[in-house]
Amino acid sequence: MPLKPQTRHKLVTALLLGPAGLWLFFFLVLPFIAILVFSVGKRGPVGGYAPAFTFEQFANLGTRAAAFVNTLELAPVGAFSCLLVAYPVAYYLAVKVNPQRRLLLLSLVVAPFWTSLLMRTYAWMYLLGGRGIPHLLELVGIENVRLINTPGAVLLGIVYGYLPLMIMPIYVSLEKLDRKLLEASYDLGAKPIGTFFRVTLPLSLPGVMTGFALVTILLLGEYLIPQLLGGGKVFFIGNALVDLFLQSRNWPFGSAIAVTLVAVVVVILTIAMRLTWRIAGTRKVDLV
Amino acid sequence: MALTSSNDIEFRSVTKKYGALTAVSDINLSISKGAFLALLGPSGCGKTTCLRMIGGFEQPSEGTIHIAGREMNGVAAYHRPVNMVFQHYALFPHFNVEQNVAYGLRQMRPRLSRAEISRRVGEALAMVRLDGFAGRRIHEMSGGQQQRVALARAIVNRPSVLLLDEPLAALDKKLRTAMQIELQTLQRELGITFVLVTHDQEEALSMADTVCVMSAGRIRQLGAPQEIYDRPADLFVADFVGKTNRIEAVAEAGGTVLRLADGSAMSSSAHSTGGGAGVPNGKVTIAIRPEKMRMSRAAAPGPAFKGRVTHRIFLGSVTEYAVAVPGLGDFLVTEDRNGLATDNMVSPGEEVFLGFPPEAAHVFPVQQP
């Protein structure tokens, strides 16, 4: 029996969205509800969770203030460093490069994703460690150079790991930029530098904002790179979460920290979107 | 000391090559101050390249371009006293109308005062009848309004030359006609040299005081619109500008007799020829405008062909007829309402006699390949 067009339409929609919808429901929405419930609960006698309705976990957030401060410092600083390195690369790929070589260079940008970040970070650990670059420097007479376990090493690891995520959105928005707008700017008397700051940069802001938000959000949960390259001397929210859930088994407190982190992310995202809309003059902001 | 010249733009033996492709080939062209010149031709004829070379977006491969007496080779777009209205306007989407129009003024050195900028922006917006739209975003404006913003953004800088790249192509027909009149008025008021690029012959003929017909990177004819239409220099111009009937013939006896494909002969002495000189013996093409054709139900004196009406296209003020003439091919005839009264219109299927006054026929020798 043939289906009615409306029924058919609904069925197709359900089939298309069903798998992702179910996945997200069971592995994102439900866990998040659980975390919300945990966050207003109490720690059980032997750890884990005991039912309750109290905000005492949130009142205790102050004890992890250092982790929050460190994270809220690392995330934007790391994202901004990424941006500084990524923008010229994206600009080169979108505007300057010979189109025939573009595809090759673009695949080189994403090539590091073919191996796991953990492995690549370990590689950096050895490169920066005593038997790596410092050893080579010693051979040419430069001694006592310390690279591993420094803030510089952490920044290097972060920029290295997150660079493609920053390059891609910026590249996309620069690539879409109408070259006629640049000609119009020259025609009206603006030189290349002025044209960049008054036309190119503002119109690539959606990409910049997307990349910045993406990297910032991921960095809010980052703890591996600081652990491996920074020596674990500085404590981040990521470390706090691992510690609370896996070691001290204080699930409600860990949940409260996670909820707060999500709230911070939502606030950052909202501000970033609003700002982009205002500057780019349109509500059409593509998220990649 | 600069020589005072009445020419605003001069092309001296300008050639532009892209690799193996020659887009513009050895062009010499002088555009006098205050002229309204239209570069007209099919796509790929080099007209846009010429415009972009004036604007400074392309550099000639050979030859020089002078603007207001100064050689412009190697001078960047931002140092040229010209402004351009781009084909799809190229308005800055992140600025509002006022910021778009003020863009050029803000680049001027020495700097203009805020008051001066806002006064001139106001003037320019008034000139294109967009007062009250200063705070609007570009994407809130209609196509016609955007085109006015583009115009205001260019003229506000008081350039010596305004370049227009197919400025009306994106507008609907009614709006296009209205803008044609407005552009003409604006050009007279400002006294700026306008250079317009278009593939639309109607646009070129109606707005410009000089039309430059181009094809394959070369200038085919330069002249006033009437001259281009009434005395086309060659068959290409006759075909491209307006509609044309073509009759293949052979010139004999030193070009004084034209023998048509159906065997009939006509004297060529009264016919105008392309370059003014007579045609040599050999194959020729006779070109006649559809509105110069005479159509009647009875044979009239003068050269006449018998044919049959195949189509009638009523266009309001005029009516077009397609007439098939055995041995000579299809003819297009335009009759205005005074010709044949509406209630007495010739219908498809009817037999008619076609003729034309000899002076309306243009004879061009056929180029031997």
Side-chain angles (χ1 to χ4, degrees):
Chain A
M1 201 185 82
L3 293 167
K4 276 195 227 162
Q6 301 99 306
T7 320
R8 205 184 123 79
H9 183 79
K10 277 182 192 163
L11 194 70
V12 170
T13 309
L15 280 173
L16 288 175
L17 299 184
L22 283 175
W23 186 274
L24 285 179
F25 180 76
F26 282 108
F27 300 112
L28 183 75
V29 178
L30 277 188
F32 189 69
I33 291 171
I35 295 278
L36 271 179
V37 172
F38 283 7
S39 72
V40 293
K42 283 196 302 194
R43 183 173 187 261
V46 286
Y49 164 75
F53 188 77
T54 163
F55 288 103
E56 74 184 64
Q57 309 302 345
F58 288 94
N60 278 338
L61 283 177
T63 58
R64 294 296 190 278
F68 272 99
V69 170
N70 288 336
T71 305
L72 290 179
E73 208 176 87
L74 173 87
V77 169
F80 193 72
S81 311
C82 268
L83 176 62
L84 289 184
V85 180
Y87 201 98
V89 178
Y91 186 85
Y92 174 77
L93 287 172
V95 182
K96 295 285 175 197
V97 82
N98 173 358
Q100 286 155 350
R101 291 175 57 203
R102 186 177 287 156
L103 196 66
L104 174 76
L105 291 175
L106 276 174
S107 37
L108 284 181
V109 167
V110 289
F113 280 136
W114 295 346
T115 48
S116 101
L117 181 61
L118 185 64
M119 280 170 62
R120 286 180 282 132
T121 308
Y122 265 110
W124 273 114
M125 215 170 114
Y126 286 103
L127 273 175
L128 301 176
R131 277 176 291 171
I133 294 170
H135 182 64
L136 286 178
L137 290 176
E138 253 169 57
L139 291 180
V140 295
I142 306 166
E143 301 203 2
N144 289 327
V145 177
R146 190 183 160 76
L147 293 176
I148 195 77
N149 300 347
T150 60
V154 176
L155 206 57
L156 186 143
I158 282 171
V159 171
Y160 169 78
Y162 290 90
L163 198 56
L165 292 177
M166 188 66 95
I167 292 177
M168 279 307 174
I170 300 176
Y171 164 78
V172 170
S173 63
L174 281 173
E175 210 261 326
K176 279 190 300 190
L177 181 75
D178 185 358
R179 301 295 182 274
K180 283 264 186 285
L181 294 178
L182 306 184
E183 287 188 349
S185 175
Y186 300 145
D187 183 66
L188 293 165
K191 296 184 178 127
I193 300 271
T195 299
F196 176 79
F197 283 107
R198 300 202 62 194
V199 180
T200 312
L201 188 61
L203 287 176
S204 65
L205 269 192
V208 170
M209 283 296 183
T210 304
F212 197 83
L214 208 63
V215 172
T216 306
I217 290 164
L218 290 173
L219 282 181
L220 287 176
E222 177 65 56
Y223 74 100
L224 203 82
I225 295 173
Q227 188 87 21
L228 295 180
L229 301 182
K233 283 178 293 188
V234 187
F235 214 56
F236 294 97
I237 291 182
N239 304 89
L241 288 176
V242 171
D243 184 46
L244 285 170
F245 276 97
L246 303 179
Q247 254 92 57
S248 49
R249 285 179 47 78
N250 190 345
W251 291 5
F253 190 36
S255 300
I257 290 179
V259 168
T260 311
L261 189 61
V262 170
V264 170
V265 168
V266 169
V267 169
I268 290 177
L269 260 187
T270 313
I271 293 173
M273 286 298 198
R274 288 288 155 97
L275 222 64
T276 315
W277 286 341
R278 277 230 344 234
I279 298 170
T282 162
R283 292 220 148 192
K284 281 185 274 168
V285 175
D286 313 277
L287 266 174
V288 161
Chain B
M1 226 212 86
L3 282 168
T4 45
S5 160
S6 64
N7 285 333
D8 235 6
I9 304 173
E10 266 190 74
F11 279 65
R12 297 189 190 157
S13 312
V14 172
T15 295
K16 175 70 184 176
K17 290 179 181 155
Y18 297 99
L21 183 93
T22 305
V24 168
S25 175
D26 192 26
I27 279 195
N28 286 289
L29 176 65
S30 296
I31 303 168
S32 54
K33 212 172 178 57
F36 194 147
L37 177 97
L39 294 169
L40 173 66
S43 55
C45 72
K47 58 188 192 298
T48 304
T49 307
C50 283
L51 196 76
R52 292 175 57 79
M53 284 194 287
I54 302 174
F57 308 116
E58 309 280 354
Q59 296 289 339
S61 313
E62 288 159 37
T64 53
I65 294 175
H66 299 250
I67 300 174
R70 255 179 71 207
E71 192 194 307
M72 282 291 150
N73 284 29
V75 177
Y78 41 85
H79 283 139
R80 296 192 180 205
V82 302
N83 282 117
M84 174 120 125
V85 175
F86 288 82
Q87 185 167 11
H88 298 290
Y89 319 136
L91 297 172
F92 302 118
H94 56 306
F95 291 148
N96 64 20
V97 170
E98 186 181 14
Q99 292 165 323
N100 263 282
V101 177
Y103 194 93
L105 298 176
R106 295 228 164 94
Q107 310 301 327
M108 288 188 180
R109 300 293 180 273
R111 284 179 185 278
L112 301 180
S113 70
R114 254 166 203 266
E116 171 78 358
I117 289 177
S118 108
R119 188 182 62 76
R120 282 175 64 173
V121 168
E123 266 177 24
L125 286 178
M127 208 170 266
V128 297
R129 298 196 281 112
L130 278 181
D131 347 40
F133 285 86
R136 286 279 190 101
R137 286 283 186 180
I138 296 306
H139 61 90
E140 295 166 348
M141 314 275 287
S142 73
Q145 290 170 332
Q146 292 190 9
Q147 134 73 225
R148 287 159 196 276
V149 178
L151 207 55
R153 186 177 71 171
I155 60 174
V156 76
N157 309 298
R158 298 175 190 155
S160 27
V161 181
L162 184 72
L163 308 174
L164 301 121
D165 186 5
E166 305 262 8
L168 309 180
L171 304 181
D172 63 57
K173 192 165 166 54
K174 261 226 162 79
L175 209 53
R176 207 157 59 216
T177 315
M179 279 310 290
Q180 283 176 8
I181 294 169
E182 270 185 54
L183 275 178
Q184 225 176 10
T185 315
L186 201 64
Q187 197 257 345
R188 275 189 221 128
E189 276 173 16
L190 295 168
I192 297 177
T193 307
F194 275 33
V195 182
L196 168 86
V197 154
T198 180
H199 65 273
D200 181 347
Q201 41 117 353
E202 197 186 306
E203 210 168 285
L205 296 183
S206 63
M207 282 197 283
D209 50 40
T210 313
V211 176
C212 175
V213 185
M214 294 182 65
S215 120
R218 292 175 189 278
I219 296 177
R220 303 304 284 253
Q221 188 172 7
L222 182 73
Q226 298 87 329
E227 198 181 319
I228 301 270
Y229 190 83
D230 291 337
R231 289 192 296 282
D234 58 24
L235 199 56
F236 173 83
V237 177
D239 256 345
F240 190 76
V241 181
K243 293 173 177 171
T244 293
N245 289 304
R246 303 165 65 151
I247 309 171
E248 306 306 326
V250 177
E252 294 172 354
T256 54
V257 174
L258 300 173
R259 191 162 297 282
L260 308 188
D262 64 352
S264 61
M266 43 197 277
S267 143
S268 131
S269 54
H271 302 155
S272 37
T273 52
V279 279
N281 283 355
K283 283 188 179 173
V284 295
T285 301
I286 306 168
I288 310 140
R289 298 280 182 208
E291 71 277 11
K292 300 284 189 192
M293 299 291 292
R294 296 282 167 261
M295 185 172 70
S296 56
R297 290 193 169 97
F305 322 114
K306 201 160 118 184
R308 195 176 289 279
V309 175
T310 56
H311 293 92
R312 183 177 70 194
I313 302 149
F314 180 64
L315 294 173
S317 56
V318 295
T319 305
E320 284 184 358
Y321 298 90
V323 181
V325 177
L328 291 178
D330 291 328
F331 282 80
L332 193 66
V333 180
T334 310
E335 288 275 346
D336 60 26
R337 300 214 111 157
N338 304 327
L340 292 163
T342 318
D343 51 357
N344 192 23
M345 283 207 297
V346 177
S347 304
E350 271 190 70
E351 258 191 8
V352 290
F353 290 90
L354 296 182
F356 53 85
E359 68 276 9
H362 304 281
V363 181
F364 303 107
V366 173
Q367 305 288 330
Q368 298 297 338

